[in-house]
């Protein structure tokens, strides 16, 4: 990447016979291709520092079922007012579970603020289609995470977080 443009493309395969004897957990029997591009703009503004537009795509073949799942994302990152970030992210995605394709598309919004070097606050909200894995049912999910980190003294830091997760099945 450069100051004005980031990119990445990769491919990997994990065999169906991959063994996790050492405690390493990963999904076996997949082949995936992942890539993204992220052009960056630096407007002549005292308020907006940088704008990033990101397009990404990941295509994964589940070798056990032969089905493909996808994850295609569009994001806008707005850096402003010192150390503040507003990120909006939309995606169209599917996931293979139990040899069946499920819809997992959704959106998320993130606000990250660092008003001083000693204070960092992050709020992330996700709304997406989801899978209830125990019964392989389709549903919807709302996730909210908020964290606050404060450097109180040189060797004393306080961290607080709040997590909310909700899943409801389609009727």
């Amino acid at each position: 990447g450069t100051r004005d443009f980031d990119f990445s493309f990769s491919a990997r395969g994990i065999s169906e016979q991959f063994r996790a004897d050492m405690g390493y957990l990963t999904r076996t029997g997949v082949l995936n291709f992942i890539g993204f591009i992220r052009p960056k703009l630096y407007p002549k503004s005292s308020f907006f520092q940088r704008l990033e537009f990101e397009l990404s795509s990941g295509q994964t073949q589940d070798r056990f079922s032969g089905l493909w799942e996808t994850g295609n994302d569009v994001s806008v990152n707005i850096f402003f007012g010192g150390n503040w970030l507003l990120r909006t992210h939309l995606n169209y995605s599917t996931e293979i579970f139990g040899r069946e394709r499920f819809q997992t598309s959704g959106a998320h919004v993130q606000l990250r603020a660092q008003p001083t070097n000693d204070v960092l606050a992050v709020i992330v909200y996700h709304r997406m289609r989801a899978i209830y894995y125990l019964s392989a049912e389709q549903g919807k999910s709302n996730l909210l995470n908020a964290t606050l980190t404060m450097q109180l003294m040189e060797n004393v830091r306080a961290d607080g977080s709040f997590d909310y997760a909700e899943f409801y099945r389609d009727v």
Side-chain angles (χ1 to χ4, degrees), residues 42-108:
Y42 298 87
K44 294 183 187 331
S45 166
S46 60
F47 187 71
F48 295 107
Q49 295 174 328
R50 183 171 80 226
L51 302 173
E52 297 177 349
F53 304 93
E54 185 174 315
L55 296 172
S56 64
S57 183
Q59 308 306 313
T60 301
Q61 182 188 36
D62 178 85
R63 292 182 178 160
F64 294 108
S65 68
L67 298 172
W68 285 82
E69 61 188 36
T70 188
N72 302 293
D73 306 322
V74 175
S75 301
V76 176
N77 302 323
I78 304 169
F79 296 85
F80 59 96
N83 290 320
W84 290 67
L85 164 67
L86 176 63
R87 176 179 172 83
T88 57
H89 178 91
L90 301 172
N91 83 316
Y92 171 80
S93 59
T94 59
E95 180 180 337
I96 305 304
F97 178 72
R99 300 181 188 264
E100 195 175 336
R101 185 180 293 119
F102 290 87
Q103 183 59 240
T104 56
S105 300
H108 93 247

Side-chain angles (χ1 to χ4, degrees), residues 1-17:
T2 67
R3 178 182 187 270
D4 297 330
F5 190 79
D6 289 333
F7 64 93
S8 172
F9 301 97
S10 64
R12 79 175 176 163
I14 300 172
S15 77
E16 297 87 337
Q17 292 80 35

